[in-house]
Amino acid sequence: MLDLDLNCPPPIEKEELLESQQSDEAVPEASVKEKKKRAATEDIARISLSDLVKNFGRPIAEASRNLNVGLTVLKRKCRELGIPRWPHRKIKSLDSLIHDLQDIQEDTELQESEDKATAIQLAKRQRMLESEKEGIERTPSMEIQSEIKKFRQGVFKSRHRARTSAKAKKCSSISPNSKHH
């Protein structure tokens, strides 16, 4: 039979030990090369408010990648420029409201309704949303106007009602007609 104990590792020759030590030393050098470099001070200093405004439509992590700086560096730069919070969600919300208004305007144009007052009101509301978006891009710390907050809440409520009524219709059409005695 064999004299090997299967519970113990096989004996290592001196040459194999030296080779494994050399390969272990090479690993840290490779990982240092893969490590991301810090953004240069000049690169951080060159970031202006206009550069940030161009990226307000993106989430902050994506904006930091786009500007080639780290997230913490970008947040610090925002604080230096007077931006306490990244305005992406405000702008995204206003964009979706503008888009919803455009859809409503297209629907009313398709119906060829003679209600000019509604069309004027929709156009006025869209201009108000667009000017609010421009204001936030100029002054990111600005709060959204209460009138716009109320309009946004109304849109959310109408979407919710539409979803729940569609869900109720779907459920009533699926359930079989049951006879009650």
Side-chain angles (χ1 to χ4, degrees):
M1 284 225 88
L2 295 171
D3 291 333
L4 291 174
D5 183 5
L6 297 176
N7 293 325
C8 296
I12 298 176
E13 299 293 324
K14 286 184 179 179
E15 292 175 10
E16 290 177 15
L17 184 63
L18 286 173
E19 287 176 10
S20 69
Q21 286 176 347
Q22 288 173 351
S23 66
D24 287 345
E25 291 172 0
V27 171
E29 291 174 14
S31 65
V32 169
K33 290 179 184 176
E34 293 174 13
K35 188 175 179 180
K36 189 176 175 183
K37 291 183 179 181
R38 281 187 166 190
T41 308
E42 306 86 46
D43 292 340
I44 296 167
R46 74 169 166 73
I47 296 174
S48 65
L49 184 58
S50 62
D51 294 328
L52 296 179
V53 169
K54 292 174 190 172
N55 288 287
F56 281 168
R58 298 182 171 100
I60 192 166
E62 188 179 324
S64 70
R65 282 191 299 271
N66 193 34
L67 293 168
N68 295 322
V69 294
L71 186 61
T72 307
V73 171
L74 179 59
K75 286 182 180 181
R76 190 178 305 131
K77 189 68 177 181
C78 287
R79 282 186 228 112
E80 286 175 15
L81 295 171
I83 303 169
R85 290 182 59 122
W86 190 251
H88 164 69
R89 291 175 60 100
K90 285 182 190 176
I91 290 175
K92 184 178 174 185
S93 175
L94 290 171
D95 280 339
S96 71
L97 290 173
I98 291 168
H99 181 71
D100 290 347
L101 276 179
Q102 289 170 345
D103 288 346
I104 292 169
Q105 285 175 335
E106 290 172 5
D107 289 345
T108 55
E109 288 172 6
L110 291 174
Q111 294 173 0
E112 297 181 17
S113 69
E114 295 180 9
D115 191 9
K116 301 277 184 196
T118 304
I120 291 170
Q121 186 66 21
L122 289 173
K124 180 181 173 186
R125 189 67 50 107
Q126 184 174 349
R127 283 193 304 274
M128 183 177 69
L129 290 170
E130 288 169 349
S131 69
E132 184 76 6
K133 180 182 172 187
E134 291 169 4
I136 288 175
E137 288 174 345
R138 281 192 307 273
T139 313
S141 61
M142 182 176 96
E143 281 290 318
I144 292 178
Q145 296 175 16
S146 62
E147 184 179 350
I148 292 177
K149 286 181 181 180
K150 289 176 184 175
F151 174 67
R152 181 174 59 182
Q153 186 177 16
V155 170
F156 292 160
K157 282 183 179 180
S158 65
R159 281 185 197 158
H160 177 71
R161 283 189 207 115
R163 275 197 312 266
T164 54
S165 67
K167 217 182 267 187
K169 286 179 185 177
K170 186 178 177 182
C171 289
S172 66
S173 67
I174 293 174
S175 65
N177 294 337
S178 59
K179 293 183 181 178
H180 295 285
H181 294 288

